[in-house]
C-alpha cells in the first residue's frame, strides 16, 4: 500500500456559472488611501477581495464552503477577502473556480473600480508634443519632425 499525502474527496457543488459578475456601484467601496501629493492610491488586493467577497455572498455561500472547494485555508481566504493578503494567480484561479465565476469577470470588475478611482487623475492633460522652448534647448539631441518627438540621442 502506498503511503504519503492523502487528500480528502470534497464534494463539488455545481452551480450555474454567471455570464458576468455584477457588483453594484454603491457596493463598490474602493480601498483608496492618500499618497503624497493627494493622489489616490488603489490597493488591488483590497479591490480583488471586495469583488470575491461580493460574489461569494451573492451566491449565499460561506467562507468554509468556498475554502473547502478551492482547497485553501478558511483563514487565508478570509484575509484575501479583507484585502490583507495578496493572492497569487493560482490561488485566484482556484477561488474563482470554487465560486464558478470566470477570473476574467473578476479582473474586469476590479479594472473598472480602479479606473473609477483614478478618473480625476486621468483627466490631467499630458501634452503629446515637445514645447518649442524645450525643443530649442535640446540643440540637436532630439530629432523633431512636424512638432513630434521622433528619436532621442
Amino acid at each position: 500500500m502506498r503511503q504519503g499525502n492523502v487528500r480528502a474527496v470534497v464534494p463539488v457543488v455545481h452551480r450555474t456559472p454567471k455570464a458576468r459578475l455584477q457588483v453594484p456601484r454603491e457596493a463598490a467601496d474602493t480601498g483608496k488611501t492618500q499618497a503624497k501629493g493627494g493622489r489616490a492610491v488603489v490597493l488591488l488586493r483590497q479591490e480583488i477581495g471586495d469583488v470575491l467577497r461580493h460574489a461569494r455572498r451573492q451566491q449565499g455561500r460561506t467562507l468554509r464552503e468556498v475554502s473547502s472547494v478551492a482547497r485553501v485555508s478558511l483563514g487565508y481566504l478570509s484575509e484575501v477577502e479583507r484585502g490583507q493578503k495578496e493572492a497569487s494567480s493560482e490561488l485566484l484561479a482556484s477561488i474563482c473556480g470554487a465560486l464558478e465565476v470566470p477570473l476574467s469577470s473578476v479582473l474586469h470588475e476590479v479594472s473598472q473600480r480602479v479606473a473609477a478611482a483614478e478618473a480625476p487623475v486621468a483627466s490631467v492633460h499630458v501634452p503629446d508634443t515637445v514645447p518649442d522652448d524645450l525643443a530649442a534647448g535640446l540643440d540637436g539631441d532630439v530629432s523633431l519632425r512636424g512638432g513630434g518627438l521622433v528619436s532621442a540621442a
Side-chain angles (χ1 to χ4, degrees):
M1 183 166 185
R2 188 173 146 195
Q3 292 183 355
N5 294 339
V6 177
R7 289 189 174 177
V9 177
V10 179
V12 176
V13 178
H14 293 285
R15 299 188 187 275
T16 305
K18 306 256 185 277
R20 188 173 155 159
L21 183 62
Q22 297 292 323
V23 178
R25 284 286 158 225
E26 59 273 5
D29 181 27
T30 59
K32 293 191 293 184
T33 59
Q34 294 295 326
K36 282 188 177 180
R39 265 184 70 169
V41 176
V42 179
L43 298 176
L44 287 178
R45 67 177 185 261
Q46 182 69 50
E47 298 302 328
I48 290 169
D50 287 347
V51 171
L52 292 173
R53 174 175 280 167
H54 178 79
R56 178 181 59 78
R57 286 181 173 172
Q58 191 175 26
Q59 294 176 10
R61 297 173 70 187
T62 64
L63 275 170
R64 185 173 309 282
E65 179 185 356
V66 174
S67 69
S68 177
V69 175
R71 295 183 184 238
V72 62
S73 75
L74 187 146
Y76 197 81
L77 178 58
S78 176
E79 288 179 313
V80 168
E81 282 192 358
R82 288 181 282 136
Q84 295 179 340
K85 293 288 184 186
E86 297 272 357
S88 68
S89 57
E90 292 87 358
L91 182 64
L92 281 175
S94 181
I95 295 168
C96 288
L99 291 170
E100 295 187 5
V101 174
L103 177 59
S104 60
S105 292
V106 171
L107 295 178
H108 179 76
E109 179 60 34
V110 169
S111 174
Q112 287 184 327
R113 287 170 165 231
V114 171
E118 291 180 340
V121 175
S123 66
V124 174
H125 175 70
V126 178
D128 62 351
T129 59
V130 177
D132 291 334
D133 58 336
L134 179 61
L138 294 174
D139 293 331
D141 289 343
V142 175
S143 172
L144 297 175
R145 187 176 357 153
L149 179 65
V150 176
S151 65

